[in-house]
Amino acid sequence: MAGKSEAFAGIGKIRYEGPASKNMLAFRHYEADAIVEGKPMRDHLRFAVSYWHTFRGTGSDPFGPGTMIRPWETESDPLKAALARVDVAFEFLEKLGVDFYCFHDRDVAPDGGTLAESNKHFDSVADRLEQHQKQTGKRLLWGTANLFSNPRYVHGAATSPNVETFAYAAAQVKKALEVTHRLDGAGYVFWGGREGYQCLWNTDMKREVDHLATFMHMAVEYAREIGFTGQFYFEPKPREPMKHQYDFDSATCINFLRAYGLEKHVKMNIETNHATLAGHEMQHELEYAGMQGFLGSIDANTGDTLVGWDTDQFPTNVYLTTQIMHSILKYGGLAPGGVNFDAKVRRESFEPVDLFHAHIGGMDAFAHGLKIAAAMRADGALQKLVDERYASWSGPLGKRIESGSESLASLEQEMLAKGEATPCKSGRQELFENLINTYL
Ligand code: XUL
Ligand code: CO
């Protein structure tokens, strides 16, 4: 805030300097106002900083405590510390030139011991967030509730065998929706956290999954009551912390949404490292959700091929971001969703400046991927090859099958007359892969 000392003194506004720049605190590819496919980059990407990793991450891991040096963390009173942190967060957003942020209720405001006290804290922090949003024009991409850290959520929240855990979680989501609405949030995310099981012998799966649907219906209903028209998202993750989570992957989530009549209200928020935990590429998850009309928003990060867990690293691989942006452009973009960096600096990268390097790298990787994907689409060579591969379906027989006017019996007649199908053509995978490399 004006008059206060800067948390990131010595770091100015990060600017676009072009691919040849040697300045590591500048963008080489992300040029917010540059037009790609008729739209400024900032509107394609709608970058968001995740409050939990960037402002609450300590660097602790199962083998040791936090390592992060955060000179602004001087207040011992948790509420005062939370309020001071909001000022730092907005200084960071301003300097980085990111338009959005995302939070869980308990990242931005401390637990107050009782629900009433926690709600009060959340309101005080929301006042400060609102004030900064008004001053800067920054926006909340989505809000969510932390329904997994407190021991009351040991067996899950909406899927807990303990009915009062469910009730408490419902109360927490009610409040998180009110605050998200008040802050004009563009969306609200459900990520299960512990909505799954460790052991099937002690689990009534049907009851748990039914309860999860009841819970989401309550949220959708309450949003309607208070006039919140932001988009709801369901974020898949197959495991970690549980052995199995009910929001396993896009296909599982979409089946759940349809089975329980939630498909009109909820889209997918797809995270790269969760896709890989499910044994999929991010591109698979995006294509599946996109083709079904459920592509909503993404959590941008990456795993490590040699480490099997959710490492939430900042994405720097341009091949990956090209795949992602190609699918996003193909399905008409993300808005009102965006690209949220659900990513954390490594435990060893403990200085404040590392937060800038991490986000600059991620933003540049996505901007670069966006430019490459747009060039591929403008050129049309890839699409032409894909169309050629399916050309037989554009003939009379293919058209009749696709329009539903053929049957097993009529197709039997067709093949009895022909005797054998026309031989298949080569898939030319290597040609496709080589073609992609010509754009990189
Ligand atoms: C955890 C994760 C969450 C959600 C929001 O793996 O991705 O931070 O994005 O609850
Ligand atoms: Co996430």
Side-chain angles (χ1 to χ4, degrees), residues 134-146:
K134 282 201 176 116
Q135 277 169 10
T136 60
K138 304 292 175 200
R139 289 191 59 199
L140 178 62
L141 185 68
W142 48 260
T144 189
N146 178 330

Side-chain angles (χ1 to χ4, degrees), residues 112-268:
T114 63
L115 182 60
E117 209 46 36
S118 298
N119 286 350
K120 243 165 68 189
H121 286 348
F122 199 9
D123 283 332
S124 307
V125 174
D127 289 343
R128 183 76 68 109
L129 290 165
E130 192 173 33
Q131 198 181 335
H132 275 287
Q133 286 188 191
K134 282 201 176 116
Q135 277 169 10
T136 60
K138 304 292 175 200
R139 289 191 59 199
L140 178 62
L141 185 68
W142 48 260
T144 189
N146 178 330
L147 306 178
F148 45 89
S149 296
N150 190 288
R152 85 175 70 84
Y153 298 125
V154 61
H155 304 296
T159 64
S160 175
N162 180 18
V163 65
E164 290 196 2
T165 295
F166 182 105
Y168 196 103
Q172 226 184 297
V173 168
K174 175 177 178 287
K175 184 69 188 173
L177 277 170
E178 288 163 6
V179 173
T180 299
H181 181 41
R182 174 182 164 195
L183 295 174
D184 194 28
Y188 187 89
V189 162
F190 295 105
W191 171 62
R194 297 180 192 275
E195 312 294 27
Y197 59 79
Q198 298 290 23
C199 166
L200 276 173
W201 292 118
N202 70 1
T203 300
D204 184 338
M205 193 195 282
K206 171 156 175 26
R207 220 166 179 183
E208 293 199 0
V209 177
D210 284 353
H211 291 169
L212 183 58
T214 302
F215 192 84
M216 280 201 195
H217 273 291
M218 286 179 179
V220 166
E221 176 60 27
Y222 189 64
R224 204 187 50 75
E225 270 171 53
I226 62 174
F228 173 67
T229 54
Q231 177 63 50
F232 278 103
Y233 305 105
F234 197 13
E235 181 176 322
K237 186 175 181 182
R239 62 181 67 84
E240 201 198 297
M242 308 306 272
K243 163 204 181 102
H244 175 93
Q245 283 156 205
Y246 301 131
D247 46 9
F248 196 92
D249 62 0
S250 287
T252 311
C253 288
I254 291 168
N255 175 62
F256 167 87
L257 294 173
R258 288 206 176 113
Y260 289 94
L262 286 155
E263 70 276 11
K264 284 197 192 68
H265 310 288
V266 186
K267 289 190 171 173
M268 304 306 303

Side-chain angles (χ1 to χ4, degrees), residues 52-53 142 189 191 235-237 269-271 274 298-301 310 312 340 342:
W52 53 99
H53 285 311
W142 48 260
V189 162
W191 171 62
E235 181 176 322
K237 186 175 181 182
N269 180 42
I270 300 176
E271 178 166 328
H274 296 177
I298 70 166
D299 271 6
N301 63 19
D310 193 16
D312 282 343
N340 169 47
D342 193 354

